[in-house]
Amino acid sequence: MLRTALRNVLAHKARLLMTVLAVMLGVAFVAGTLVFTNTISDAYQKSSQKGFKGVDVAIAPDKKDDDSANPGDAPRLSQQLLDKAAKAPGAGSAFGVVKGNAALADKKGDLLGGGFSNVGGNYYPGADGKDPRYTMTEGRAPKAAGEIALDSKTAERGEYKAGDSIRVSVDGPVRTEKVVGVFTTDDGNVAAGGTLALYDTVTAQKLFAKPGQFDEIDVKAAAGTSQATLKSAIDKVLPEQAKATTGKKLAKDQAKAIEDGMSSMQTAMLVFAGIALFVGIFIIVNTFSMLVAQRTKELALMRAVGATRRQVTRSVLIEATFVGAVAAVVGLAAGVGIGAALRSVLNSSGANVPDGPLIVAPTTVLVSVLVGVVVTVLSAWLPGRRAAKIPPVAAMNSVHAAPTTRGLVVRNTIGSILAAAGIALVVAGAGMGGDGQGPMAFGAAVLVIGVFVLTPLLSRPLIAAASPVLRLFGMPGKLARQNAVRNPRRTAATASALMVGLTLITGMTVIAGSMQKGIDKMAADGLKSDYVVSMGGTTPRPMSPDVSKTLAKVPEVTAISSLRSSPARVAGDSDTLTGVDPKAIKDLVNVDFTEGSFGALGGTKVLIDDKIADENHWKVGSTIPVTYEDGSSGRLTVGGVYEGNQMIRGVMLDNATVTPHMTTVADFQVMLKTKGGATQDTKDLLKKTLGENPAIKIQNKQDTSDEIASAFTLMLNMLYGLLGMAVIVAVLGVINTLAMSVFERSKEIGMLRAIGLDRAGIKRMVRLESLVISLFGGVLGLGLGVFFGWAAGELIATELPSYELVLPWARMGLFVLMSALVGVIAALWPARRASKLNMLAAIKAE
């Protein structure tokens, strides 16, 4: 039986090629994902470990989370502590670290690093005059105010060298500094495309901390002293709100953080690899089902000469194991190439990954082989089981029984139950708010399976609906319709592969379009201001109050308010106070009040959103105990309750009240209204007023909306690319089905040629059959995608009240055309093969 199975594989090389390709693509995606994520994770981990090579023990602030502590940031470290650490037993040297934000402009005025990581720090020379963290390759280290050193990658990107001037923004206003040196660093953020600028320690403390204070103290052990021993010695001199950590622990924690950060990307990519494999299952099942059907006589003869059912099943599974193993090996090799290509794409997009080898872990090899073999064997088990049931008597007449009516009734009943249960779970999940994700995901999987089971039943009416169009093509069109419904199970399995891909693409498109509409509505409804000014970058950054003062002097500005954020304890709970200008805020934000109005805002009277009011049973006149950022206590009075939204929420109070309690006075946004509304000329004027500052964003309502939506747009584009793999697999499935169908119908095609249907008619028949099957799958995918998009939107609406369902008719029409294109492309080779059959040889074919 083993020799027979291997001979069958070699005898049907062309038929099994598509199956190998389908499995190979899925395995390649899995292997490529693992290679890519392991490679960049390893590169960042090794890079971060290099960054800790000069650190044996690091001292950092340790904010105690208790009721007595101030709500503000943890205190910084003093020069006295640095001196004590340097004198601790076993300490070789110690240096202070100061960090903050420093946005650098290139020579065209654009922001270097794209806002990803724009860090400013200090150069702390040791006894030898050098800082072991940085190696100067050009010029010298900064020694006085007005001097700066750049990392080599930033200097290269910005075309700077020692002696040049550079524009820098630390917290808003532009500073012009002199580049006195260029250095190399092992900082992982720099390796990933960020920027690092160094000042002398005194200047860095003035800009990023406070004079004489540090954010961290790094200690190098003396020769012969272990990190653990040094840590024990340093622990004895630490104040209450400081902690010491060994360099090994820091490197380990950093590696774990990088691994955790990569896990979400890896999970997302593996999900789509799973989708590609899931689609591939349809092809594998289809292929083995058709192979078994074509070998009915052969398998029945094997039964007649003594082969048992188990041996017949085993022979089919041996074929599947061989095919899966070949596909897994080829897929693994392709996956290594995909991993390398993804790293190159990441580098070319500006996110420079640190140098490192391509990592092909043993687990990657094992997973790839297991996925390829297990998926193929499981997919072939059902056809193998069917093969074993072929009665020996079938060898006498070459006829194998078609599926019985009872079998179809059972299938349709099971499919209907699954589809109904899936719909019920999805609808129930949609009404459960934030708790409905689990039931909805499970219901979606059940519904997809139910629809798949029902597709033979659905195929007849849906394909029949296309009959009027097919009649326009004459006899080839009529034959194409009959061929498509002749074997509904095969047609259903082929169409289902395309259905899965289009379901996901359509659902994601519906969600993205609806979210864009919701975000636009949120910005339009929540903002009255013409512009919102803030610091650029991927994370919120504090902005100097000088920005607001400068903008307030512009004659075109009619209303302006700084928004300040201050951590506090409100009624014993950690919260954030939002400071505003009470006179201007009513002209800049649009909120509806359930009690009170903006007129009540001022002094110790505050406005709170309705959610906070409901949770605490507060209303106008209620008094609220508060502990400010600096630790002082007070009482606030509720002057009004408003309906919070995504743009404005929380506790709103007068800037004059909150500012004296802030340890560092800074704005996180400035809202302003101008004469004539938002125009390009006004925006240019505001930019010019701020010195063409590359670090500051000036956004109108549409800019704000677009920025929020850009993340979803980027995600959607990535999903399109990833789901393209599933569509490619689906195309292979259609090709596979048509090619094997042509082989099955060789005698029939020969007869059609003999009675007058020309080669062009044969081609047209096969192409129309492919087109009908593909459109059938496309229509099912569109319907399911819209349904899932609606259901997911109900969950999103609980977090984004302005969310509104939008059906992207243009894109959905494009998806229908894409389905048709899939059918046309998939039919090229089978149609050509069918048209070239020799009619006499085909008629004689068994």
Side-chain angles (χ1 to χ4, degrees), residues 275-283 286 448 451-452 455 490-507 723-735 737-738 769-785 814-827:
I275 292 169
L277 281 172
F278 181 65
V279 174
I281 287 173
F282 294 118
I283 300 175
N286 238 6
V448 169
V451 171
F452 168 62
T455 40
R490 181 189 302 168
T491 297
T494 306
S496 295
L498 189 58
M499 177 194 75
V500 173
L502 277 181
T503 295
L504 291 165
I505 291 175
T506 304
L723 290 172
M725 180 72 74
V727 175
I728 291 172
V729 175
V731 172
L732 291 175
V734 179
I735 296 173
T737 298
L738 291 173
E769 179 184 350
S770 175
L771 188 64
V772 167
I773 293 173
S774 297
L775 286 174
F776 170 52
V779 168
L780 287 179
L782 285 175
L784 285 174
L814 185 64
F815 295 157
V816 173
L817 291 176
M818 186 179 74
S819 301
L821 183 62
V822 166
V824 172
I825 293 173

Side-chain angles (χ1 to χ4, degrees), residues 137-286:
T137 58
E138 182 184 344
R140 60 173 176 81
K143 297 179 180 178
E147 295 182 347
I148 197 171
L150 304 178
D151 71 85
S152 56
K153 291 183 181 292
T154 298
E156 182 182 352
R157 288 198 301 269
E159 299 180 354
Y160 286 111
K161 61 182 184 299
D164 289 345
S165 294
I166 185 171
R167 297 169 71 242
V168 185
S169 176
V170 172
D171 58 359
V174 177
R175 306 163 56 93
T176 300
E177 316 282 18
K178 182 181 179 181
V179 179
V180 296
V182 177
F183 61 89
T184 58
T185 176
D186 293 319
D187 191 303
N189 286 325
V190 172
T195 64
L196 177 59
L198 299 181
Y199 291 88
D200 68 281
T201 298
V202 173
T203 302
Q205 287 174 331
K206 289 179 180 177
L207 293 174
F208 308 127
K210 289 184 178 179
Q213 294 190 345
F214 301 95
D215 297 304
E216 185 178 301
I217 295 173
D218 293 339
V219 186
K220 179 73 174 173
T225 303
S226 68
Q227 290 187 356
T229 302
L230 178 60
K231 179 182 179 300
S232 298
I234 289 176
D235 281 338
K236 297 177 182 178
V237 301
L238 290 183
E240 182 181 355
Q241 289 190 322
K243 63 177 180 180
T245 310
T246 63
K248 289 181 180 178
K249 178 72 163 52
L250 288 173
K252 184 178 179 180
D253 291 346
Q254 181 79 355
K256 181 67 167 59
I258 292 171
E259 184 179 343
D260 292 343
M262 293 302 303
S263 66
S264 58
M265 179 192 296
Q266 187 180 69
T267 300
M269 294 179 71
L270 286 174
V271 165
F272 290 101
I275 292 169
L277 281 172
F278 181 65
V279 174
I281 287 173
F282 294 118
I283 300 175
I284 300 167
V285 172
N286 238 6

